[in-house]
Amino acid sequence: MLEVVGLSKAFGGLVAVGGVDLSVPQGALFGIIGPNGSGKTTLFNMLTGFLEPSSGEIRFEGLNVRGLSPEHIVRAGIARTFQVVRFHKESTVRETVWAAQSLHLGLGGLFRGIGSPSQKDLAGEVDRILEKTWLKPHADRLARELPFGLVRQLEIARALATRPKILLMDEPASGMNPSETHQLTEDLRRLREDGLTVVLIEHDIEMVMGLCDRIAVLNFGRKIAEGTADQVKNDPDVIAAYLGTKKKRAHA
Ligand SMILES: Nc1ncnc2c1ncn2[C@@H]1O[C@H](COP(=O)(O)OP(=O)(O)O)[C@@H](O)[C@H]1O
Ligand SMILES: [Mg+2]
């Protein structure tokens, strides 16, 4: 579904991502791990049109999406959540999800072929997403008044509102307590059962190992391993990368 070939990004002399190949099949729950600064967020930024790659290819459902704007990539069916969450602080939870849905509906989205959905259908869809993400009781609160765990939920709701085929999540469990992390794990399983393909960057290795069917490991911008949780866990290069994270970062 998502094919990445030789994807690279250099910032001046620093190779943040170097020649990464990835192949994410439809329906997968695919994990990406790696020490801090290993290029995970930069990779997502390229996949979602926020950063222009230095080289390499990105194909989604066989189409070249490299060079498309973030809005066009969202409309192609790729949604993301951010490591650092930002909302329009004066909007309510419901308005935030509604606005994200409008992005999907803009220029040739749902209106093409299916016909215009009624306001009632659209409101129903927003409600359905709020329920799925446990936000229904908080729908009329201001986004800025939400406690941290619910902010993360709203970030997911906003991504789902764009009707993605694939959801890229950047450390969704960061800052969550164990029970919130557990809930998130269950939610991700359910989204996948509903047919969504998920790519998960996560610091919480336990969570990734328990959840993902395939895991790629980045270190200094390069993919050093890929496989099942068991394969990755026992890979000597992966063990060395995690033990060696205190070493100074080599600049290319
Ligand atoms: N916009 C940028 N300009 C310069 N360097 C950057 C930029 N974004 C990321 N980097 C550098 O690229 C490397 C990879 O960063 P990042 O992708 O954020 O890593 P991760 O998400 O794995 O922690 C780091 O060394 C980081 O400092
Ligand atoms: Mg990051």
Side-chain angles (χ1 to χ4, degrees):
M1 181 180 223
L2 181 66
E3 292 279 344
V4 171
V5 184
L7 198 62
S8 301
K9 180 71 189 179
F11 296 110
L14 174 78
V15 178
V17 174
V20 168
D21 298 333
L22 284 179
S23 181
V24 180
Q26 177 156 19
L29 229 166
F30 193 99
I32 299 177
I33 61 173
N36 247 330
S38 57
K40 305 180 298 295
T41 297
T42 302
L43 176 65
F44 268 15
N45 284 339
M46 290 191 280
L47 297 179
T48 52
F50 286 87
L51 269 181
E52 174 70 16
S54 304
S55 61
E57 292 169 37
I58 308 167
R59 281 189 296 271
F60 180 63
E61 297 187 313
L63 295 172
N64 171 31
V65 294
R66 178 179 162 184
L68 295 186
S69 69
E71 288 76 17
H72 280 92
I73 287 179
V74 167
R75 287 186 196 127
I78 303 177
R80 76 177 290 180
T81 67
F82 288 87
Q83 193 171 355
V84 179
V85 181
R86 290 190 191 86
F87 297 119
H88 285 290
K89 298 282 183 181
E90 299 309 317
S91 300
T92 65
V93 168
R94 190 190 303 278
E95 286 162 354
T96 302
V97 176
W98 186 275
Q101 177 168 256
S102 307
L103 181 67
H104 166 77
L105 293 169
L107 299 175
L110 249 191
F111 292 109
R112 195 174 46 208
I114 308 172
S116 315
S118 69
Q119 290 295 106
K120 193 161 161 253
D121 289 345
L122 293 177
E125 184 58 24
V126 168
D127 273 346
R128 204 179 60 79
I129 291 166
L130 290 173
E131 261 162 33
K132 225 191 227 187
T133 49
W134 312 103
L135 286 166
K136 193 72 186 290
H138 309 283
D140 299 317
R141 289 172 78 175
L142 288 176
R144 68 173 144 87
E145 288 175 352
L146 290 181
F148 188 76
L150 292 178
V151 166
R152 288 263 171 226
Q153 291 299 116
L154 180 53
E155 175 75 346
I156 295 168
R158 183 166 67 167
L160 293 178
T162 68
R163 315 283 205 285
K165 297 172 183 164
I166 190 167
L167 176 58
L168 312 182
M169 309 182 87
D170 196 350
E171 302 204 16
S174 87
M176 283 189 171
N177 65 36
S179 92
E180 288 166 342
T181 302
H182 178 76
Q183 182 64 61
L184 176 66
T185 305
E186 292 305 308
D187 290 348
L188 290 183
R189 284 211 178 93
R190 201 151 29 83
L191 287 174
R192 189 262 195 93
E193 280 163 21
D194 290 349
L196 187 65
T197 306
V198 179
V199 183
L200 176 68
I201 289 176
E202 198 31 81
H203 221 73
D204 187 333
I205 304 283
E206 293 292 305
M207 179 188 174
V208 175
M209 295 281 176
L211 194 56
C212 297
D213 11 67
R214 210 166 170 77
I215 299 165
V217 187
L218 297 187
N219 193 31
F220 297 126
R222 305 207 170 260
K223 188 171 82 172
I224 58 166
E226 188 185 324
T228 63
D230 280 340
Q231 287 166 342
V232 159
K233 220 183 315 195
N234 296 311
D235 186 300
D237 288 344
V238 175
I239 295 166
Y242 274 90
L243 294 175
T245 49
K246 291 207 174 72
K247 274 192 290 186
K248 268 200 135 173
R249 197 190 154 84
H251 284 249

